[in-house]
Amino acid sequence: MKKIVFILITMCAVFGAGADHGSSPERASHGRDTVSSHTSGVLGGPHDFSAWNGNACQTCHIPHVQAVRPVATQPSATTQPAVELYRIAGQRSVFVPGRYTPGPTSLVCLGCHDGTVAMSTIGSSHSMLAGVREGFASSQDASWRDHPIGVRYPADPREFHNEAFVVKQGIRLPEGRVECISCHDPHNVAGVKHLLRQSNRRSALCLSCHIK
Amino acid sequence: MQRDIGLWGFRLIRMNMKRNWHIAVGFAGMACFVAMGAGCAGKGPVVPAWRAKAVFGEDQDSAQIEVFGNLAQFVPRFNPTPKLDQFLYGPSAPPGLMIRNAQGIAMLNHLLLVCDQGYPAVVGIDLSTGRSKEWQDIDHRPRCPIAILVGTDGRVYVADTTLRAVLVYGPTGCFVEQLAPSENPARSFRPGSLAMRDGVLYIGNLGDHRVDRYDLASRGWLDPLPSSVDGPPIVSPTGLAFTSEGTLLIADAVQARIFRMGADGRWQTPIGGPGRLPGQFIRPKQVACTPSGLICVTDAGRQSLFVFDAKGAYLAEVHEREKEWRGLTLPSSVLALPSDGLNMLMPEGRPTPQPYSAEWIIVSDTLDAVSLNLFGVRLPHGGGATRAAP
């Protein structure tokens, strides 16, 4: 009797694991988020505007042209990514030590993600403390969902992993700062929901930096 | 017993007043000060003299843009702390404008209405007194106010992308109604920009990639604007404005150009395109038209304010200039005012900018500490540069 029960349980486990969920007719009716999480790259993702302007890259990457007006701060290999984004003169001037000021890469994101073209990251569920001025505190009920950007990666070894270790995990820290691209990949290479660099299942992404 | 205490107290005071008259004078002075200062709110120091930080424009024969910088420095500093409290607890600096993340802006008489996404609320700044407070009905707060429009009917329309509706308020901020297409089961309607002409409210629908229209008289939704057959389609209409001739300007943040539809309903050649050359855009957000016909466009990607003439020819790009002006961080909305539009900031006796600006432009910055930037327009040959009586 015990043998029969054991065999039945084993068979159930085997057949259950082998079920092909991909061929389920319900998958066709899944939301866009589920479908996009199984694709990677820009094409087919939320940043794919090729259906509108015929070019999947042009919306964010302006073609290389020589800047006409003088650049206040000459870009260098450490300040500009290899594939040039908007090379805007004087962007480094917005960096104010000790204040929440987003960097150039985050400004690119915020150009759309300010509630206009795309979901807002200011004052919404993914509140951005970069918009907080001195003396203005974010509402307490939203504080657990906030994450600051434009701040230097903390050097407290008791609370945060070493910066070199974090970068090795695939977390980008442009100029040693936490920016939007630290957690999000606009190119959706990993194909994770919400364009995360890696899955945040069981807070794996958070724990890449935070020591808990 | 009580009578005796009272008599002794009176004798004590009279005796002290005879011997220490200066103490009595001091007490009398304090009493007057208390009576005078209780409940009084004082104003801050006089605003600084108007002085342009930088001037943009190619030559004297075309319009030039003067950068005056932070609008807050020209607005009276309202200090809500009573003088008595300042006397008792020490002086307190008047707070700045109550703005966190400014988006859409509009002018309602002497009130500058600012969509503050960080609050979120519609903040009303009284430019004559400097007092700023939450303007709209607190029971009907917007969730993500992006654009605001003062209609010809006197009502104030606020586009909210999170509520997916246009909130309508009265002139005093009381909530009137919420506009959204009823036949929209997918809830794709996302209003991001507003304009009004001939009793029709034009709404830039970011969710459905089109411009919707609402007839205020019949209170019904009209057919959306037809798409251009030849040109690229509208993707993200983040800015709407009408010229004096009735041409509709549509700033498209994704297509990086300003679409134009004439009063006859025919599409015209768009202004600009994606790129970094003069007159090209990266992320145009909002468009406005000055009384003289200048077309102003804010570009969040280039952190600039573009100015074009009435025909769409590029005139100037207002951006940071080293050692003169730190520029914009994330410019969002733009508001154009006539020459007398800011008279409440410069009553008789206050210094005025020389030469007098023919028109005014206010640009909101969502992320910078300077939320509102003021620019003056200097027209060629002093055109339109007359000062209206305050």
Side-chain angles (χ1 to χ4, degrees):
Chain A
M1 184 61 183
K2 288 184 180 178
K3 282 187 181 177
I4 296 173
V5 172
F6 175 77
I7 291 171
L8 284 174
I9 293 174
T10 306
M11 287 174 63
C12 289
V14 169
F15 283 116
D20 185 2
H21 296 286
S23 61
S24 167
E26 285 77 19
R27 187 171 188 270
S29 64
H30 281 182
R32 178 182 168 81
D33 287 341
T34 306
V35 173
S36 65
S37 68
H38 293 273
T39 62
S40 61
V42 176
L43 295 179
H47 285 167
D48 182 10
F49 293 96
S50 57
W52 301 102
N53 55 23
N55 191 317
C57 307
Q58 185 178 310
T59 303
C60 299
H61 293 275
I62 302 302
H64 290 265
V65 294
Q66 186 176 5
V68 176
R69 71 173 194 271
V71 178
T73 304
Q74 291 297 327
S76 65
T78 58
T79 59
Q80 291 293 331
V83 180
E84 198 166 16
L85 288 173
Y86 319 133
R87 203 181 65 166
I88 301 169
Q91 267 191 327
R92 288 177 63 85
S93 64
V94 304
F95 278 30
V96 179
R99 302 214 23 203
Y100 297 117
T101 310
T105 54
S106 296
L107 287 176
V108 171
C109 305
L110 294 172
C112 290
H113 285 273
D114 61 349
T116 54
V117 181
M119 183 194 76
S120 174
T121 60
I122 305 170
S124 68
S125 57
H126 187 7
S127 297
M128 187 185 71
L129 290 179
V132 174
R133 312 263 193 272
E134 316 291 339
F136 287 111
S138 60
S139 56
Q140 291 302 313
D141 60 345
S143 59
W144 66 272
R145 288 171 295 190
D146 297 352
H147 195 285
I149 65 170
V151 296
R152 185 158 293 280
Y153 184 77
D156 186 358
R158 298 169 299 178
E159 300 286 340
F160 302 94
H161 290 294
N162 178 268
E163 185 174 335
F165 171 81
V166 168
V167 173
K168 249 183 181 179
Q169 303 301 312
I171 307 298
R172 294 186 62 177
L173 298 174
E175 299 187 357
R177 292 172 176 264
V178 179
E179 303 286 357
C180 299
I181 61 172
S182 298
C183 299
H184 296 276
D185 176 18
H187 298 129
N188 195 29
V189 172
V192 181
K193 194 176 180 180
H194 301 312
L195 302 184
L196 295 176
R197 292 199 170 273
Q198 56 183 261
S199 171
N200 198 27
R201 187 167 180 269
R202 303 185 72 178
S203 304
L205 177 61
C206 304
L207 296 177
S208 298
C209 298
H210 294 268
I211 297 176
K212 295 293 177 185
Chain B
M1 178 68 173
Q2 292 174 339
R3 179 169 168 269
D4 292 336
I5 293 176
L7 280 175
W8 272 110
F10 178 73
R11 287 172 189 162
L12 194 67
I13 292 173
R14 192 175 64 178
M15 188 168 52
N16 278 327
M17 285 181 66
K18 284 181 180 177
R19 294 177 184 175
N20 303 305
W21 60 270
H22 51 280
I23 296 177
V25 169
F27 272 110
M30 272 189 65
C32 292
F33 186 78
V34 169
M36 185 179 63
C40 281
K43 291 188 178 180
V46 178
V47 296
W50 294 75
R51 187 173 62 248
K53 296 184 177 182
V55 180
F56 290 83
E58 291 294 329
D59 52 65
Q60 301 287 336
D61 293 332
S62 61
Q64 293 183 310
I65 309 299
E66 296 176 301
V67 179
F68 290 102
N70 190 358
L71 175 65
Q73 62 180 329
F74 302 107
V75 177
R77 304 296 295 276
F78 178 82
N79 194 340
T81 306
K83 282 189 176 177
L84 174 62
D85 286 4
Q86 295 188 49
F87 173 78
L88 294 175
Y89 307 113
S92 63
L97 299 180
M98 196 183 73
I99 304 293
R100 298 183 184 182
N101 301 102
Q103 281 272 4
I105 46 179
M107 187 69 86
L108 176 63
N109 298 325
H110 57 279
L111 276 179
L112 181 65
L113 302 178
V114 182
C115 289
D116 193 332
Q117 209 183 109
Y119 218 88
V122 176
V123 177
I125 302 171
D126 192 333
L127 296 181
S128 58
T129 62
R131 187 167 191 172
S132 59
K133 63 176 184 177
E134 186 173 346
W135 172 82
Q136 96 293 319
D137 184 358
I138 61 174
D139 293 326
H140 293 87
R141 258 195 199 116
R143 290 282 301 279
C144 186
I146 296 295
I148 187 169
L149 169 74
V150 178
T152 52
D153 56 353
R155 292 180 173 178
V156 178
Y157 299 83
V158 177
D160 192 314
T161 51
T162 296
L163 290 179
R164 296 179 182 268
V166 175
L167 307 178
V168 185
Y169 301 94
T172 58
C174 58
F175 179 74
V176 176
E177 61 179 340
Q178 190 166 306
L179 299 178
S182 56
E183 300 174 355
N184 187 232
R187 284 181 52 81
S188 57
F189 178 70
R190 285 185 72 236
S193 52
L194 300 167
M196 184 181 288
R197 189 170 182 91
D198 297 333
V200 176
L201 180 65
Y202 291 75
I203 305 169
N205 188 346
L206 302 170
D208 296 316
H209 313 292
R210 67 190 189 198
V211 177
D212 288 331
R213 297 185 298 174
Y214 181 81
D215 191 334
L216 298 174
S218 62
R219 296 184 57 78
W221 291 90
L222 307 174
D223 292 333
L225 279 187
S227 301
S228 172
V229 179
D230 304 324
I234 295 175
V235 180
S236 293
T238 54
L240 293 176
F242 275 99
T243 67
S244 56
E245 292 83 22
T247 300
L248 175 63
L249 305 173
I250 306 171
D252 194 313
V254 173
Q255 298 286 26
R257 64 198 75 200
I258 310 299
F259 292 99
R260 293 188 290 181
M261 172 181 269
D264 55 358
R266 301 175 67 174
W267 290 101
Q268 302 172 0
T269 305
I271 298 175
R276 280 180 286 219
L277 293 176
Q280 292 184 327
F281 305 110
I282 290 176
R283 195 71 67 229
K285 301 302 290 293
Q286 185 57 272
V287 60
C289 198
T290 68
S292 66
L294 297 178
I295 299 173
C296 306
V297 183
T298 53
D299 192 319
R302 293 183 68 146
Q303 298 177 308
S304 303
L305 168 69
F306 282 91
V307 181
F308 302 85
D309 67 8
K311 297 180 181 178
Y314 167 76
L315 290 179
E317 180 184 1
V318 183
H319 52 84
E320 56 84 27
R321 186 174 281 180
E322 194 175 9
K323 297 181 182 178
E324 292 183 11
W325 183 52
R326 61 190 295 270
L328 305 165
T329 301
L330 197 69
S332 52
S333 186
V334 57
L335 175 67
L337 299 171
S339 59
D340 59 350
L342 293 179
N343 271 2
M344 71 286 291
L345 295 182
M346 46 191 111
E348 295 297 333
R350 278 200 184 158
T352 58
Q354 296 293 338
Y356 197 80
S357 295
E359 294 166 331
W360 302 101
I361 300 171
I362 299 176
V363 173
S364 62
D365 196 318
T366 305
L367 284 185
D368 201 277
V370 177
S371 300
L372 299 169
N373 292 272
L374 178 64
F375 306 90
V377 178
R378 194 189 299 173
L379 294 177
H381 313 300
T386 55
R387 180 178 182 182

